[in-house]
């Protein structure tokens, strides 16, 4: 049951580190706000290199339901939501498959963002 917690912690720490790497600044407290900020930071860098911007949320940015990106949606469903059930709901029946899916979804989202960052840093 700790796997989704650790996988989500890894993802949130990664997001914070990328923000600080690209534009050192004060980080927002919530993960949603960090992702919105990261999207903005990445887009400024992509625009400066005349590259296509990313669009992770609907223009309204009205919370998690506005999430559009498939890699981030997969992470949210398989990792973030399961982590929430474990921490806030006391859920203790995390199967090996769900733990693996949580881990894989977190890594998938990290790899997706790493790909964008590598493009920017070229």
């Amino acid at each position: 049951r700790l796997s989704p917690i650790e996988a989500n912690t890894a993802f949130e720490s990664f997001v914070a580190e990328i923000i600080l790497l690209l534009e050192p600044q004060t980080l927002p407290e919530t993960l949603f706000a960090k992702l919105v900020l990261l999207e903005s930071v990445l887009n400024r860098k992509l625009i400066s290199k005349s590259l296509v911007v990313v669009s992770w949320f609907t223009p309204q940015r009205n919370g998690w339901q506005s999430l559009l990106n498939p890699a981030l949606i997969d992470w949210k469903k398989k990792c973030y939501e399961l982590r929430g059930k474990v921490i806030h709901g006391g859920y203790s029946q995390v199967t090996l498959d769900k733990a693996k899916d949580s881990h894989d979804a977190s890594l998938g989202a990290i790899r997706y963002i790493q790909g964008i960052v590598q493009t920017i840093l070229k």
Side-chain angles (χ1 to χ4, degrees):
R1 75 184 186 111
L2 291 178
S3 183
I5 296 168
E6 294 298 329
N8 194 73
T9 300
F11 178 73
E12 187 166 359
S13 297
F14 170 78
V15 167
E17 287 300 317
I18 294 301
I19 292 169
L20 294 173
L21 170 73
L22 296 176
E23 276 186 23
Q25 56 194 286
T26 304
L27 293 172
E29 289 193 23
T30 69
L31 180 52
F32 179 78
K34 286 175 188 165
L35 281 174
V36 169
L37 176 59
L38 179 57
E39 177 190 46
S40 176
V41 168
L42 290 174
N43 281 338
R44 282 195 297 278
K45 300 291 184 182
L46 290 165
I47 289 168
S48 74
K49 291 190 163 248
S50 299
L51 298 170
V52 177
V53 298
V54 296
S55 181
W56 293 348
F57 302 95
T58 61
Q60 298 82 14
R61 290 197 170 108
N62 54 345
W64 289 113
Q65 65 269 25
S66 66
L67 196 57
L68 297 170
N69 179 273
L72 296 177
I73 289 171
D74 193 48
W75 156 79
K76 181 187 170 285
K77 287 182 179 178
K78 294 179 180 174
C79 183
Y80 182 76
E81 290 177 3
L82 181 57
R83 168 224 168 258
K85 283 174 58 176
V86 170
I87 290 178
H88 303 295
Y91 183 70
S92 62
Q93 304 301 313
V94 177
T95 65
L96 182 59
D97 286 342
K98 286 191 184 276
K100 184 178 180 329
D101 287 347
S102 173
H103 177 265
D104 292 347
S106 182
L107 282 178
I110 288 170
R111 287 183 184 126
Y112 162 72
I113 294 169
Q114 281 176 327
I116 297 168
V117 172
Q118 288 171 346
T119 300
I120 290 169
L121 297 177
K122 285 183 183 177

